[in-house]
């Protein structure tokens, strides 16, 4: 699970490739929150009778999803039939239109809310061949938002780089015209702000190969990482585990020469859609619970668990809540984000565009950790939210095995822009023990998803959204900039949040 989270964090840090996407100013509206709400622990535990009042709805939602559910059918349509949903691609746009239609088919209003993606990217074809000391075809994929090679490719000697700290890379004089080769683990060890491909290109490398050690030569989908616009100016490739290990061993023994070719290309700006759907509330319709998951995926597979599963759960929650026939007390809004994999672009754009109504968002629920059995909710450092949620979870989610509530700060997916605005956020926590086997890999396909835990997760999302929408009081207050800063103090995500412009201390 820790690895899954680290990879997700790494994915978020890859913000160079959003190449100038507008960063929200989290402090602006959060600081407008009243000083009373600026206390980090202002939540009151909901009274038992308030939780009891949500029980009938919870029982019917669980029955609707577990007995008459469509989660697997929806996921299969989204993955096998729609396909890999790279942000800015035609497939993603079609999938967004399909999802909006699906919401409408449940009787839930849905619209597409476009935002500007500064650059599109087309993967094209990538190939690699070792030509010395012997010949071997090697498995590679281009890294997202990196350019292709010249038509004739790039031929160069491999130079292994173990120390990827910025100082060490800057001192190297042996990279000019060469193919820099490093292990992804060494890249992570160098820290958030190291940006190895960017600095290796600055040092003269003609191309970069990242040995991304995942089993059976599976290739990892990710975006280039750098501190500023167009940071990754040379072709960058991932190489599979076994092929990369061969290259590494031979390079230790003597010169290794590779031929690399890629037809990847970075394009101009495009409008890409978030899908926004809503079930209008009853007596407290002005307040809302927002439930979200990212619809976009990496394109080496169909993104069944990252994040077709979360998308199917959000759709299923909307279907079941609508099927109750009674409006929730508060409005429930459902959003399927674009651009998560390129740096939370869709949720950041939404928070910016909807800044004026964020005071009315009582909670944001997110599901993006795969299709494992649900365990409960992560409240990202908000102990007051943990305390308030515990009796709700014990009472309504224990039967789904989803009653653990904890407060580890992650800020690694689409809840983060909401969290940085002081809104109470909950991330669905699941058994992620098998997640790394498929995460961002060509093997992330629907056959790895089991019906029952997928549906249990959908039920946990639906029941929690319903319960929070029904409570007489907000589950927890919106907190101000100073209180958020207190939570972030010492958090390992802080350098990344500052560098990406998501957090201004
Ligand atoms: Zn994801």
């Amino acid at each position: 699970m820790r690895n899954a989270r680290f990879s997700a964090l790494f994915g978020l840090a890859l913000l160079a490739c959003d190449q100038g996407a507008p960063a929200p100013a989290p402090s602006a509206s959060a600081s407008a929150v009243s000083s009373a709400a600026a206390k980090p622990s202002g939540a009151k535990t909901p009274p038992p009778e308030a939780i009891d009042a949500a029980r009938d709805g919870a029982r019917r939602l669980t029955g609707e999803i577990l007995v008459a559910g469509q989660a697997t059918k929806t996921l299969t349509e989204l993955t096998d039939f729609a396909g890999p949903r790279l942000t800015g691609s035609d497939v993603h746009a079609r999938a967004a239109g399909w999802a909006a239609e699906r919401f409408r088919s449940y009787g839930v209003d849905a619209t597409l809310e476009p935002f500007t993606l500064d650059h599109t990217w087309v993967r094209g074809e990538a190939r690699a061949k070792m030509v010395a000391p012997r010949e071997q075809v090697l498995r590679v994929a281009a890294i997202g938002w990196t350019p292709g090679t010249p038509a004739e490719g790039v031929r160069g000697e491999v130079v292994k780089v173990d120390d990827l700290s910025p100082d060490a890379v800057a001192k190297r004089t042996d990279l000019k015209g060469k193919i820099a080769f490093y292990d992804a683990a060494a890249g992570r060890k160098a820290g958030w702000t190291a940006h190895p491909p960017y600095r290796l290109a600055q040092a003269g490398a003609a191309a970069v190969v990242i040995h991304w050690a995942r089993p059976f030569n599976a290739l990892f989908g990710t975006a280039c990482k750098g501190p500023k616009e167009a940071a990754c100016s040379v072709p960058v490739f991932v190489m599979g585990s076994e092929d990369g290990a061969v290259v590494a061993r031979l390079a230790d023994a003597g010169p290794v020469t590779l031929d690399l070719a890629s037809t990847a290309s970075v394009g101009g700006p495009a409008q890409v859609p978030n899908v926004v759907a809503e079930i209008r509330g009853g007596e407290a319709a002005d307040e809302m619970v927002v439930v979200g998951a990212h619809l976009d995926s990496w394109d080496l597979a169909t993104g069944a668990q990252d994040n077709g599963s979360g998308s199917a759960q959000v759709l299923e929650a909307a279907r079941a809540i609508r099927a109750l026939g009674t409006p929730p007390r508060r409005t429930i809004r459902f959003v399927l984000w674009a651009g998560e994999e390129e740096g939370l672009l869709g949720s950041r754009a939404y928070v910016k565009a909807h800044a004026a109504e964020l005071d009315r968002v009582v909670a944001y629920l997110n599901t993006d950790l795969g299709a494992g059995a649900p365990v409960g909710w992560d409240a990202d450092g908000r102990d007051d939210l943990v305390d308030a949620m515990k009796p709700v979870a014990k009472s309504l989610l224990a039967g789904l095995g989803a009653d653990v509530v904890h407060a580890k700060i992650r800020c690694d997916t689409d809840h983060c822009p909401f969290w940085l605005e002081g809104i109470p956020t909950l991330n669905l926590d699941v058994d992620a023990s098998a997640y790394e086997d498929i995460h961002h890999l060509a093997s992330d396909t629907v056959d790895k998803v089991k019906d029952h835990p997928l549906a249990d997760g959908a039920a946990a999302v639906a029941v929690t959204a319903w319960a929070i929408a029904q409570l007489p009081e907000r589950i927890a207050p919106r907190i101000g900039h100073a209180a958020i800063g207190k939570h972030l103090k010492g958090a390992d995500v802080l350098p990344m949040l500052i560098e990406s412009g998501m957090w201004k201390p």
Side-chain angles (χ1 to χ4, degrees):
M1 191 177 291
R2 189 180 306 148
N3 285 345
R5 287 181 172 168
F6 191 83
S7 295
L9 289 163
F10 187 60
L12 172 56
L14 307 175
L15 287 170
C17 300
D18 72 32
Q19 300 190 349
S27 55
S29 50
S31 60
V33 178
S34 74
S35 57
K39 280 185 258 165
S41 53
K44 284 185 235 142
T45 306
E49 59 274 17
I51 299 170
D52 268 351
R55 190 178 308 282
D56 183 53
R59 187 168 58 223
R60 291 167 60 204
L61 288 168
T62 304
E64 179 66 32
I65 291 171
L66 298 191
V67 179
Q70 299 180 12
T72 299
K73 180 171 171 279
T74 301
L75 177 63
T76 305
E77 286 186 32
L78 180 59
T79 53
D80 279 357
F81 292 93
R85 302 170 301 284
L86 187 73
T87 299
S89 68
D90 290 346
V91 175
H92 175 266
R94 277 199 300 276
W98 168 88
E101 273 309 314
R102 186 45 55 101
F103 277 119
R104 291 178 198 125
S105 76
Y106 307 149
V108 178
D109 292 336
T111 55
L112 299 180
E113 278 193 19
F115 65 94
T116 303
L117 177 72
D118 284 1
H119 294 276
T120 54
W121 183 71
V122 176
R123 174 178 292 285
E125 305 277 335
R127 57 185 171 76
K129 189 177 180 186
M130 180 162 58
V131 293
R134 61 175 177 76
E135 291 201 347
Q136 181 176 335
V137 171
L138 304 163
R139 288 153 197 84
V140 292
I143 295 261
W145 279 264
T146 56
T149 62
E152 68 276 18
V154 170
R155 173 171 290 197
E157 192 180 316
V158 167
V159 177
K160 278 178 72 178
V161 184
D162 296 325
D163 185 349
L164 290 156
S165 61
D167 285 352
V169 173
K171 283 185 193 135
R172 292 196 74 128
T173 55
D174 57 345
L175 289 168
K176 196 152 180 50
K178 303 290 172 60
I179 295 173
F181 179 101
Y182 71 90
D183 194 289
R188 288 193 288 270
K189 193 175 160 204
W192 300 114
T193 53
H195 308 306
Y198 167 70
R199 294 189 202 284
L200 292 165
Q202 295 286 97
V208 177
V209 172
I210 308 173
H211 178 204
W212 215 295
R214 309 303 282 276
F216 314 121
N217 270 327
L219 296 170
F220 190 81
T222 188
C224 189
K225 178 185 183 188
K228 57 188 175 186
E229 186 169 340
C232 296
S233 55
V234 299
V236 186
F237 299 79
V238 285
M239 186 174 282
S241 176
E242 286 80 2
D243 283 357
V246 169
V247 170
R249 287 191 296 269
L250 289 176
D252 285 340
V256 173
T257 303
L258 302 183
D259 273 352
L260 297 170
S262 160
T263 60
S265 61
V266 179
Q271 292 292 297
V272 295
N274 288 325
V275 185
V276 181
E278 184 173 294
I279 297 175
R280 180 113 183 117
E283 57 181 298
D286 269 359
E287 293 186 339
M288 72 180 93
V289 177
V290 181
V291 183
H294 69 88
L295 186 73
D296 67 296
S297 75
W298 275 107
D299 58 338
L300 293 167
T302 52
Q305 298 209 48
D306 191 13
N307 184 27
S309 296
S311 301
Q313 287 170 338
V314 170
L315 281 157
E316 187 67 347
R319 185 188 67 77
I321 292 171
R322 185 67 181 79
L324 289 177
T326 318
R329 191 167 167 272
R330 295 183 178 85
T331 294
I332 303 180
R333 190 172 284 178
F334 305 88
V335 192
L336 297 176
W337 309 111
E340 193 271 353
E341 298 291 5
E342 292 77 31
L344 318 184
L345 304 182
S347 48
R348 291 167 72 186
Y350 176 95
V351 163
K352 196 175 180 196
H354 291 259
E357 65 180 24
L358 294 182
D359 262 344
R360 300 197 281 117
V361 178
V362 303
Y364 173 73
L365 274 52
N366 196 69
T367 164
D368 181 22
L369 199 56
V375 173
W377 292 100
D378 181 356
D380 263 72
R382 289 282 301 263
D383 291 332
D384 62 330
L385 180 57
V386 171
D387 290 346
M389 265 304 293
K390 270 184 175 166
V392 177
K394 276 274 170 272
S395 179
L396 303 178
L397 299 173
L400 294 164
D403 57 336
V404 175
V405 189
H406 60 89
K408 181 177 164 54
I409 292 186
R410 293 172 51 189
C411 228
D412 57 353
T413 174
D414 290 304
H415 70 293
C416 188
F418 291 85
W419 188 88
L420 291 170
E421 290 286 350
I423 292 165
T425 65
L426 293 166
N427 253 299
L428 186 67
D429 205 357
V430 307
D431 171 9
S433 55
Y435 189 53
E436 281 305 288
D437 296 346
I438 53 82
H439 182 223
H440 288 200
L441 302 182
S443 46
D444 185 6
T445 46
V446 72
D447 47 283
K448 314 297 187 311
V449 176
K450 295 189 173 76
D451 300 352
H452 188 41
L454 176 70
D456 284 351
V461 170
V463 167
T464 306
W466 174 259
I468 292 175
Q470 297 307 97
L471 292 175
E473 304 285 338
R474 289 178 176 231
I475 185 80
R478 186 178 179 196
I479 61 173
H481 187 260
I484 302 160
K486 236 173 165 177
H487 283 306
L488 279 174
K489 210 168 173 201
D492 56 1
V493 293
L494 187 57
M496 175 271 292
L497 293 175
I498 291 171
E499 188 185 85
S500 65
M502 292 181 71
W503 177 249
K504 294 178 177 61

